Amino acid sequence: MEIGYKLAAEAYGPGELVRQAVLAEEAGFDFVEISDHFHPWLDNQGHSPFAWTVLGTIAARTSRIGLATGVTCPTMRYHPAIVAQAAATLALLSDGRFVLGVGSGERLNEHVIGGGYPAVTARHEMLREALEIIRLLWSGGYRSYQGKHLTLEDARVFDLPDTPPLLAVAASGPASTRVAAELGDALFATEAKAEIVQGYRDAGGSGPRYAEVPMAWAPDERTAARAARETSRWAVTGWKVMSELPNPVNFDAATTTVREEDILQAFACGDDPERYTEMAQGYVDAGFDRLVMQNAGPDPDGFIDFYRRELDGRMRALKPSAGA
């Protein structure tokens, strides 16, 4: 079991994210994972720095902790050739500590280049082609590719690590789990659904399985829930909504009816370590072995200290329940 810390790039500026990553390393986390967005989910989150610059700075300021994107869309806002080059460079600068998490994207971030936002079937086709291009460029030499959606012409990534970064592919259903199994090295998900892991395994996937566990730390449960509702209520809408809405104002409108009680049900809130352990256990029972602590509470320093004191040993000791 490995435990990661989610760097909420929608909620904090670049310098603060670097500071939190350094604290996470000191607290014993195995890796940090950062979202790669152009917009925040809600305007009141107020941030969305360029993830790759932040990761490069973290690589220079840390020595042990792993780094990951959670996740990058390599099909629209970025061409996969650019992602292949960026990931190779970061792998070199971090001495092999980088994991490239990829997914089919959200309209929130990808519509900004003015090319429209394809239907989900086309997005999965594009992701498959993008991963083929990335793998091709990581194999060295000048490469070309002609796909249904994406092309590559006579391109070469000159600075390559001896071992390519691990490719973790985000999945939420049968089509994306097949892509993860066939073209990825690992699985990435945001829901504690055993069918996602089982689909990945049935399709031949055998790598690590990453999942984000929703949490909100504060000295009391209600304070935590209020803070999480203010900035992270979008998380209870489900992936079909999260992937389709175009702007923060739309997420604001779509989540006005979310209550604190909904947050308390979806997040581990407050300062009771048993509640956090219970929440994480559901992901372990679903088959995940790389848990990302995603804190939506108001005090990141307090959460990191709470993790160090109360959660680290508990999380690492988690095993699948009988019959899971």
Side-chain angles (χ1 to χ4, degrees), residues 106-273:
E106 304 100 7
R107 188 185 299 269
L108 175 71
N109 306 299
E110 308 309 321
H111 83 277
V112 299
I113 60 171
Y117 190 64
V120 64
T121 301
R123 298 201 302 271
H124 288 152
E125 292 173 349
M126 294 170 72
L127 180 60
R128 181 177 289 275
E129 291 182 9
L131 297 183
E132 290 174 349
I133 289 171
I134 291 169
R135 293 283 195 199
L136 194 61
L137 287 169
W138 284 352
S139 68
Y142 286 93
R143 300 292 181 173
S144 297
Y145 180 96
Q146 183 64 56
K148 179 180 176 182
H149 304 280
L150 299 170
T151 60
L152 182 74
E153 184 177 346
D154 205 25
R156 176 183 173 186
V157 175
F158 275 80
D159 291 290
L160 289 171
D162 293 335
T163 302
L166 202 74
L167 257 175
V169 181
S172 60
S176 50
T177 53
R178 285 194 296 272
V179 175
E182 293 169 17
L183 291 171
D185 303 305
L187 176 70
F188 184 96
T190 59
E191 299 174 287
K193 291 184 176 179
E195 58 265 33
I196 296 175
V197 174
Q198 190 60 52
Y200 174 68
R201 287 171 168 157
D202 290 345
S206 59
R209 300 165 303 280
Y210 292 80
E212 295 179 343
V213 185
M215 301 175 168
W217 184 86
D220 66 274
E221 190 177 66
R222 283 291 172 178
T223 299
R226 281 195 297 272
R229 184 191 177 280
E230 183 69 19
T231 62
S232 302
R233 60 186 182 273
W234 49 268
V236 305
T237 61
W239 190 249
K240 289 186 177 181
V241 174
M242 291 166 62
S243 65
E244 294 293 343
L245 297 182
N247 285 304
V249 65
N250 303 109
F251 279 95
D252 188 24
T255 57
T256 55
T257 60
V258 174
R259 307 164 301 163
E260 284 184 25
E261 287 71 20
D262 300 319
I263 297 296
L264 288 168
Q265 184 175 0
F267 288 72
C269 293
D271 65 347
D272 181 359

Side-chain angles (χ1 to χ4, degrees), residues 44-96:
N44 64 5
Q45 289 182 295
H47 297 279
S48 198
F50 189 56
W52 293 89
T53 305
V54 175
L55 285 171
T57 306
I58 293 171
R61 301 278 182 86
T62 58
S63 60
R64 175 195 58 80
I65 200 164
L67 316 171
T69 50
V71 293
T72 290
C73 176
T75 60
M76 287 171 264
R77 187 165 40 110
Y78 308 122
H79 188 278
I82 305 304
V83 174
Q85 182 188 38
T89 298
L90 191 53
L92 289 167
L93 289 174
S94 65
D95 296 322

